[in-house]
Amino acid sequence: MTISARAQQFQDILQKLGLDLTVLELPDSTRTADDAARTLGCEKAQIVKSLVFRNSTNDAPVMVLASGPNRVNEKAIARLVDGKISKADADYVKRVTGFAIGGVPPLGHKEPVTLFVDEDLLAFDETWAAAGTPNAVFKIPGKLTAILPEHTVISVK
């Protein structure tokens, strides 16, 4: 099965990282957690949302990997990075991660990011995350944290 060039770029990143995971491109959008869960036939809570914030104090990227239904308490994240944060705009997200909003994967970014992982995602032995485009995903068997670079597990609520 062939995938788009953008999804293939992320597949290549996975291979370079030594991860034997497969990017799937779906006919329906997986841009939102609801869309992804419906398309994949899994629980919304198994969908990894990659949310990018900008630390206003030092302009550093902060990423929160949140379980599908969870809302992120931005004040709590700001306290963790000892600064002010704001939702990153599309240009900033693309510049620091290399991916557009709606397709940002949890790893393989252009620049290092401060990475926080929602503890609720650890309840699952299988999660799904974006893989470079709004229609591309990849399945993560086992715990999500096993494939991530340096990160901190937190309660996002």
Side-chain angles (χ1 to χ4, degrees):
M1 181 175 97
T2 59
I3 56 177
S4 70
R6 195 73 187 109
Q8 185 60 53
Q9 281 180 310
F10 183 67
Q11 182 68 69
D12 295 344
I13 289 170
L14 289 173
Q15 288 171 331
K16 278 186 196 132
L17 293 171
L19 299 170
D20 187 21
L21 302 170
T22 304
V23 173
L24 301 173
E25 232 163 359
L26 304 167
D28 297 318
S29 171
T30 55
R31 186 177 297 273
T32 69
D34 284 320
D35 290 345
R38 196 170 27 260
T39 301
L40 295 165
C42 68
E43 289 180 51
K44 183 177 177 182
Q46 288 176 271
I47 302 300
V48 178
K49 296 188 299 191
S50 299
L51 305 172
V52 181
F53 298 91
R54 184 181 211 156
N55 184 331
S56 308
T57 310
N58 60 10
D59 202 42
V62 176
M63 180 178 283
V64 178
L65 303 179
S67 177
N70 291 354
R71 294 201 41 85
V72 173
N73 179 340
E74 293 179 29
K75 287 185 174 122
I77 303 302
R79 281 193 298 278
L80 289 169
V81 299
D82 198 25
K84 291 185 175 172
I85 63 164
S86 59
K87 269 238 166 85
D89 65 27
D91 290 340
Y92 181 85
V93 170
K94 179 86 169 169
R95 181 170 54 82
V96 299
T97 69
F99 302 95
I101 292 173
V104 178
L107 70 163
H109 308 122
K110 264 188 180 172
E111 295 182 18
V113 301
T114 299
L115 186 59
F116 294 105
V117 179
D118 183 348
E119 64 188 3
D120 289 356
L121 288 166
L122 302 183
F124 299 99
D125 289 327
E126 179 180 290
T127 51
W128 292 85
T133 79
N135 288 54
V137 295
F138 71 110
K139 178 169 62 172
I140 304 155
K143 299 294 181 215
L144 165 67
T145 50
I147 68 165
L148 296 175
E150 185 179 335
H151 61 274
T152 304
V153 176
I154 62 167
S155 169
V156 301
K157 299 174 206 164

